[in-house]
Amino acid sequence: MILTDWEEFKKYLFIPIKKSIRVNTLKTTVPELKEKLEKRGWKLKPIPWCEEGFWIWGKDERLGSLPEHEMGHFYIQEAASMIPPIVLDPKPGEKILDMCASPGGKTTQIAQYMKNKGKLIANDIREDRIAILKRNLLRMGVRNCTVTQMPGQHFKDVKFDKILVDAPCSGTGTMRNWNSLEKWNPEIFRRISYEQKSLLHHAYCVLRRGGILVYSTCSFEPEENESVVDYLLKRHKKTELEEIDLKGIKRSEPILEFEGKTFDSRIERCLRIWHHDNDTSGFFVAKIRKL
């Protein structure tokens, strides 16, 4: 099943993931924050696919304790996690749904691309996660967002220009140590796959014609990724997958056949990255247009 370099994959299990931040342009500018942090001894390297993103290192001080973090000038966000909002390409004035929003990294990224103009709905299902989401929205200066708490399948009688379904998943793409892999259980992602298909289907139903739906997970499992997108393509014929072209990113081939099942050939347009491709967490992203 694994269509990647197994030896490289194993090597990166012993390498801690690099720290990264996203500059919040609702409150500051990229040059301004970069200059402040570098003057205090931090080293920053641009993340190629995100103009506001940087890998950061060089000091023992915790990033979360910096005053700029408390003021919402940046968000501590893994580099691959910045990809789905970039693919969604939010614009000021649009009506956008982030169906599984907490803790809010991608939500606040969407808001800054919207420049706080338009309507953003940030939804999650659990009260404790909603509390975290609200704190991050407030800290980052997001003003165009309404927070809702309900299953994503409950959205009805409304149409959105764009929707992000960053689905609950097994999180195998975030495992960068052997201890995490010991918790791996194939039954988990088989159960999760059913929920992911349901969320994606209902998101499609509340997307306007011509609208964009981005589906993403931080999982490696085809049951949670290619299989879910294949399900949508087969259920809704008036659907197209769009190419994902990001600057400076190395990608791996999506999985087109699994356990005797052949997926729709258009799935090759999806973005699949393993953690050794770009020294990030693993991610899967699909860009879907409703025809």
Side-chain angles (χ1 to χ4, degrees), residues 171-185:
T172 53
T174 66
M175 295 178 179
R176 291 282 292 259
N177 62 74
W178 287 107
N179 291 333
S180 296
L181 281 181
E182 289 175 358
K183 302 174 184 177
W184 183 84
N185 182 340

Side-chain angles (χ1 to χ4, degrees), residues 97-98 101 107 120-124 130 133 137 145-149:
L97 169 64
D98 187 352
T107 315
L120 175 58
I121 305 295
N123 179 72
D124 214 280
I130 288 290
L133 174 62
L137 291 170
C145 185
T146 299
V147 175
T148 58
Q149 182 184 348

Side-chain angles (χ1 to χ4, degrees), residues 140-169:
M140 301 297 279
V142 175
R143 299 193 304 271
N144 67 328
C145 185
T146 299
V147 175
T148 58
Q149 182 184 348
M150 60 182 173
Q153 296 89 337
H154 287 193
F155 282 93
K156 296 177 182 178
D157 303 321
V158 61
K159 295 293 181 183
F160 294 93
D161 299 307
K162 292 173 181 173
I163 300 175
L164 173 63
V165 181
D166 186 51
C169 68

